[in-house]
Each structure stands twice: as structure tokens, then as C-alpha cells.
Amino acid sequence: MTRRKPGCDPTLSVRALRTQQADGVNVYAFFVPGADLLRIADISRVHRDSEGALQGFQRKEIRNHVQAIVHFLDQGPVLFPNAIILAISPDAIFTCSRGSKPAGDVKASEAGTLRIPVPRNGSKAAWIVDGQQRSIALAQARNKSFPVPVVAFVSEDLSIHREQFILVNKARPLPTRLINELLPEVGADLPRDLAPRKIPSELVNRLNTLPDSPFRGLIRRPSDDSPDAVITDSALIKVIRNSMNSPLGALAPYKATPSRPADFAAMYHLLISFWTAVRDVFAEAWGRPPTESRLMHSAGIEAMGFLMDRIMSRASGNGDLRRHAGEALERISPHCHWTGGRWPDLQRDWNEIQSLSRDIRLLSDQLARLDHEHAFAKVAS
């Protein structure tokens, strides 16, 4: 890093706490307006110089991620306490506050004022170690004074910056299934990338708990390890999301529009109508472990989800949805092999179907062919 000439630039002054780690490295905690982060800190992008040497460490800007954060921040009053981590130059000057310490002070830090140079041009006095997407989003958000927590350690050594970047980002992210289960319990407005996952997860919660659901007690969720649960929640969530997001999906007519909220009750009614018919028609395959029934396997659940869209999209708006689904499924049931035998058109034994995109597509296509063939035969007769 290129050293700057101290005292030649204006400064950003903030109230801060100072402590020390790693045998004398100063670490500061403070708040700054979000829009000021990129005034004081650079983003050191990873690249190779003309001689092939590796420079920087930050990944490229992820535009969709940045825009999702901007959208969240621009909703209005939001809680966003995620700290940005900076490496900061020794050119930043800390002055301790005068006065007595409070009674019972644990002496872990001291308060004062931190003055960070704000360059008119040239290199900056800090580098973003963690939080570059958030920093870019905060600079683009409407509220330029939104206060953001910052933790900064003093170092101009690029190898230490990289070390801290790796340590911060190597932690395993929260499992997707855990996030999905928690989402229905969050009442606040969610970022744009999480909001669409809330309704499918809440529908799965109800399918697993309400007495009129054929799935009651059969769905595995992170909070419940019941031995009777044989269906992975993520498979059903995917079925629901696909159906909501596809223009031809059976649930698509009930999702939210700019002028009306999602019709949650209608979605639930359609789901239990179809899947209750599935349970009744394929009774010998229902509720068994995936090793004994490919209907309960993720591949079977997802493939039947595509069939749900075909069958339920043909239903009369004021008809008996469960009866309609049952009649369609009865026509194809002799040709399905969930617990034994072989799918002749697929050239696969029943237990060779796996949770692979190729297998799910093959099984989905086969169910669609069977439905088309036998539904057409019924009309022609």
C-alpha cells in the first residue's frame, strides 16, 4: 500500500472506541453515515498486474445483490446493524476523551475521537475487508445519513487484509432449509431476495401441521426430527415456488400483484385438494420412506408438482378440485411404478430414479405424457 502524506487532506471525525488485539494492533468501533464509507475506503479488487502478480482480494461487484440491499434500505425505516470491517491506515488519528471512567468499567476499551483522512484525490486511508456489496448499496440508497457500524483495525499490510477477508468469509452460511423455516416467523419487511421464499415456507408449515393436510407429520424440517417425517421440506418448497413463478403454474393466479395481496387460502386449498387425491390414489406408496417409495422421494415430489400444474390448471373454477385431481390420477395410476417394477418408457427400475435434474425432468415428462394420453382418450371417447 502507498503511504499518504498526513495532514494534507480534510478528515472525517467520529466518536469511537479503541481497543488492542494481536499484541498491540489498534482496533476501533464507530458509526458513520453509510454514504461516507466509499469516501474514506477503497475496494481492493482481486486482479493480476502486468507481471502476473496477484493484487487485491475483493470479488467483483454482484449487481443483483447490491440492488436487493438498496431496495431493502429504501423501504423506509429499517434495522440494518451489520458491521462493515475496514483495514485502516495509521494516518487515522485517535484522541482519547478526558474524564473519569464509569464505575465498574471492565477496561476493555477507551472512548475518544477518531479522525480519518478524506482524500481529495489519490489513495484513501482505509480498505474494505468485509461488506463491499453493502457499502456500494449504502452509497446508492436514498438515505445518505443512515448510520452504519464499522469495526476497523490498523494495518496497511495487504497480506493481513487478505487473511482477514478469508477468515470472515470462510464461515459456513446458514443452511437454506433453516432460513426457509425461519422466514414465516419474521414479521418485518424482507430483502427482495428473501421475500419470495416466505409464502412457500409458510404453506409447507401448514401442510405439515394442519389436520386436513395429507402431509401432516410427514415433512422433515430443521426444527423437527420426527422418525415419521419422510419428505424433505425443500422439495415441497421448490414445487410451490415453481408453481407460483411459472405463468402456467396452478398457483400462479393466486400470487400477489401490485393491486392485491397473495391469496394464501386459495393456494392452500388447491394444494391439499391435489395432494389428498395423490394420497388416496397411490395409497400403497404414500407415507413410506423414499427408499421404499419414489413418490415420497424428492424426485417424485418435484415431478408430481409439475403434474399438479397440468391437472389443476384444467380444473373448473367452481368445481370439486379433489375429485377432479382424483379422476385424472386414477387414469394414469396403472402406469406408475412408485414402489416396484419398471418404468418401461424410461428404461429405469422404480428405485433408479434419483434427485438429479435429468431424472426429475425424465419423470416429469413421462407423467405429462401419461396425463396427455389418457386425458385425451377420455375426451375422444
Side-chain angles (χ1 to χ4, degrees), residues 32-42 84 86 128 135 138 148 150:
V32 296
D36 284 338
L37 282 167
L38 295 184
R39 291 178 59 217
I40 62 173
D42 274 327
I84 306 295
L86 302 182
I128 295 173
S135 300
L138 286 158
V148 181
V150 176

Side-chain angles (χ1 to χ4, degrees), residues 36-153:
D36 284 338
L37 282 167
L38 295 184
R39 291 178 59 217
I40 62 173
D42 274 327
I43 298 173
S44 183
R45 301 260 188 234
V46 64
H47 66 281
R48 293 193 180 271
D49 62 20
S50 59
E51 297 180 357
L54 185 66
Q55 303 295 324
F57 54 92
Q58 289 282 6
R59 69 198 89 180
K60 294 180 180 179
E61 174 185 341
I62 305 173
R63 187 169 301 174
N64 289 342
H65 187 192
V66 170
Q67 289 307 308
I69 299 172
V70 173
H71 177 76
F72 175 71
L73 293 169
D74 285 348
Q75 291 179 124
V78 295
L79 185 65
F80 195 67
N82 312 64
I84 306 295
I85 299 179
L86 302 182
I88 197 166
S89 164
D91 294 339
I93 304 300
F94 181 79
T95 305
C96 289
S97 298
R98 295 180 179 178
S100 59
K101 305 284 185 179
D105 180 23
V106 296
K107 300 180 180 179
S109 64
E110 54 186 346
T113 300
L114 181 66
R115 294 177 175 84
I116 307 168
V118 181
R120 295 185 178 92
N121 50 57
S123 61
K124 297 176 183 177
W127 303 270
I128 295 173
V129 172
D130 184 62
Q132 65 144 328
Q133 315 293 346
R134 282 171 279 149
S135 300
I136 296 169
L138 286 158
Q140 297 177 10
R142 286 196 295 265
N143 184 1
K144 303 301 182 185
S145 61
F146 191 92
V148 181
V150 176
V151 174
F153 61 92

